[in-house]
Amino acid sequence: MISAETRFPHRSRSQVPGDMSFGGRHPPLLPCLGLCCRRVAERLTAGGRDGPDGDMSTCTLLSGSHDTMTYCLNKKSPISHEESRLLQLLNKAFPCITRPIVLKWSITQALDVTEQLDAGVRYLDLRIAHMLEGSEKNLHFVHMVYTTALVEDTLTEISEWLERHPREVVILACRNFEGLTEDLHEYLVACIKNIFGDMLCPRGELPTLRQLWSRGQQVIVSYEDESSLGRHCELWPGIPYWWGNTVKTEALLRYLETMKSCGRPGGLFVAGTNLTENLQYVLAHPSESLEKMTLPNLPRLSAWVREQRPGPGSRCTNVIAGDFIGADSFVGDVIALNQKLLWC
């Protein structure tokens, strides 16, 4: 049996390259994308802001991608075993019809994970699964169907990007865990520790950006498995995700405004601007896809995004996640919201 330590030797901060150049197509974020965001960083890391009221949930607004890894689905990707029995039967009887339909409603992103990071995404939504047909230790991502990408390879890709951008911080939301046994959870956590090493921020009080920078920590891992949380201090509890579960843009925005009116959760939380299909909609629109449903609605969703505010207020937002990052101005709109902190 190959251990996580063998496949991914531990990385310490001393191994981070000294290159401080931006790399990629965009300068780094958090909040370093453009001069205005660097001014925010200077303000947020000033002496008087490095206290309980200056943590990442109140003094930074981050952009995120919903179902980050669905860009690597293809027609050969197996359908998840957790999908309905009816869908499983249809896939078995009519795979040439069923699988393409499922696929086009499963893909939520077009950019790969490095391109998303380059674009400014700092919250990654990672739905992890183990396929029954897969090898003992190979973990995949899942959204109705399994990805071709392996979890270990993707985490390594993220780690290498962070090494090239030592002032950047990302949040990895590990969830779903379809088919993972306790042994597989232990294997996954061992991979996370060995791949990211000293980059990991251990669980505790939510840090400020200045604290993370001073410690050389770049990764916060939220992990939605209670037993694993109890065994590993490197893992943070699951981050609440506001999911409207609707095909209608106005209904989604009403839901988000209702959630805001109920008051913000403690700590980090995500407002999801992703639309969600249902069976009735799919049957009524056989030629459409999630992308075709989403793209015409992005201007209205972006308008809502531009109205948001970062900060500690009860109606302020913290992380905003969406589908098809890069198709419009979503990431730039979220980043620009941090300028509002300078007006306080």
Side-chain angles (χ1 to χ4, degrees), residues 1 41 102 144 174 221 225 238 248-249 278 292 321:
M1 182 180 296
V102 172
M144 298 181 69
C174 299
V221 177
D225 180 71
K248 297 182 178 180
T249 301
N278 53 40
K292 289 181 179 179

Side-chain angles (χ1 to χ4, degrees), residues 46-175:
R49 298 297 294 274
D50 194 8
D53 295 330
D55 66 42
M56 288 181 62
S57 70
T58 60
C59 274
T60 315
L61 208 159
L62 308 178
S63 60
S65 56
H66 166 249
D67 266 304
T68 300
M69 297 302 299
T70 56
Y71 62 84
C72 57
L73 303 177
N74 62 39
K75 292 180 180 179
K76 295 182 180 179
S77 300
I79 291 179
S80 166
H81 294 288
E82 291 198 350
E83 294 302 317
S84 69
R85 179 172 294 182
L86 174 60
L87 186 57
Q88 301 289 350
L89 291 173
L90 289 172
N91 181 56
K92 188 174 182 179
F94 311 104
C96 294
I97 299 174
T98 304
R99 195 162 291 183
I101 293 174
V102 172
L103 182 65
K104 68 181 184 177
W105 290 101
S106 302
I107 296 173
T108 67
Q109 305 296 337
L111 301 182
D112 66 33
V113 70
T114 294
E115 290 171 332
Q116 291 181 39
L117 291 168
D118 284 343
V121 169
R122 293 299 178 268
Y123 167 92
L124 302 178
D125 177 15
L126 305 178
R127 318 284 180 99
I128 297 172
H130 180 257
M131 291 193 299
L132 294 179
E133 303 86 351
S135 62
E136 183 182 11
K137 294 297 185 181
N138 279 351
L139 300 178
H140 297 257
F141 301 97
V142 65
H143 182 225
M144 298 181 69
V145 299
Y146 301 105
T147 65
T148 55
L150 296 176
V151 171
E152 297 93 332
D153 294 340
T154 300
L155 295 179
T156 301
E157 185 176 351
I158 295 168
S159 173
E160 291 171 349
W161 188 92
L162 289 168
E163 288 177 350
R164 297 192 300 270
H165 303 83
R167 293 275 285 182
E168 299 300 289
V169 177
V170 299
I171 299 168
L172 306 182
C174 299
R175 27 195 322 220

Side-chain angles (χ1 to χ4, degrees), residues 110-304:
L111 301 182
D112 66 33
V113 70
T114 294
E115 290 171 332
Q116 291 181 39
L117 291 168
D118 284 343
V121 169
R122 293 299 178 268
Y123 167 92
L124 302 178
D125 177 15
L126 305 178
R127 318 284 180 99
I128 297 172
H130 180 257
M131 291 193 299
L132 294 179
E133 303 86 351
S135 62
E136 183 182 11
K137 294 297 185 181
N138 279 351
L139 300 178
H140 297 257
F141 301 97
V142 65
H143 182 225
M144 298 181 69
V145 299
Y146 301 105
T147 65
T148 55
L150 296 176
V151 171
E152 297 93 332
D153 294 340
T154 300
L155 295 179
T156 301
E157 185 176 351
I158 295 168
S159 173
E160 291 171 349
W161 188 92
L162 289 168
E163 288 177 350
R164 297 192 300 270
H165 303 83
R167 293 275 285 182
E168 299 300 289
V169 177
V170 299
I171 299 168
L172 306 182
C174 299
R175 27 195 322 220
N176 192 279
F177 300 128
E178 177 190 327
L180 263 70
T181 62
E182 183 173 320
D183 286 345
L184 283 173
H185 275 292
E186 287 300 297
Y187 175 75
L188 174 56
V189 174
C191 288
I192 290 171
K193 291 181 180 180
N194 284 293
I195 290 170
F196 293 108
D198 295 341
M199 294 181 185
L200 291 170
C201 174
R203 185 172 65 247
E205 283 192 16
L206 198 60
T208 65
L209 290 175
R210 184 169 69 171
Q211 289 171 336
L212 290 171
W213 290 338
S214 67
R215 300 168 189 164
Q217 295 168 349
Q218 297 178 265
V219 182
I220 291 177
V221 177
S222 74
Y223 201 91
E224 295 187 6
D225 180 71
E226 291 297 327
S227 60
S228 297
L229 284 175
R231 295 191 295 269
H232 302 282
C233 65
E234 294 85 359
L235 306 178
W236 293 70
I239 297 172
Y241 191 107
W242 293 350
W243 175 44
N245 191 19
T246 179
V247 300
K248 297 182 178 180
T249 301
E250 293 306 319
L252 171 59
L253 298 183
R254 284 195 299 272
Y255 165 80
L256 293 174
E257 288 298 318
T258 298
M259 295 301 292
K260 286 170 58 180
S261 69
C262 294
R264 60 187 296 143
L268 298 165
F269 67 99
V270 184
T273 62
N274 49 290
L275 297 171
T276 305
E277 81 288 350
N278 53 40
L279 180 59
Q280 180 181 3
Y281 187 91
V282 172
L283 293 176
H285 303 82
S287 64
E288 283 201 14
S289 64
L290 184 60
E291 184 176 17
K292 289 181 179 179
M293 183 182 79
T294 300
L295 295 187
N297 292 287
L298 290 182
R300 178 67 185 95
L301 293 169
S302 293
W304 180 86

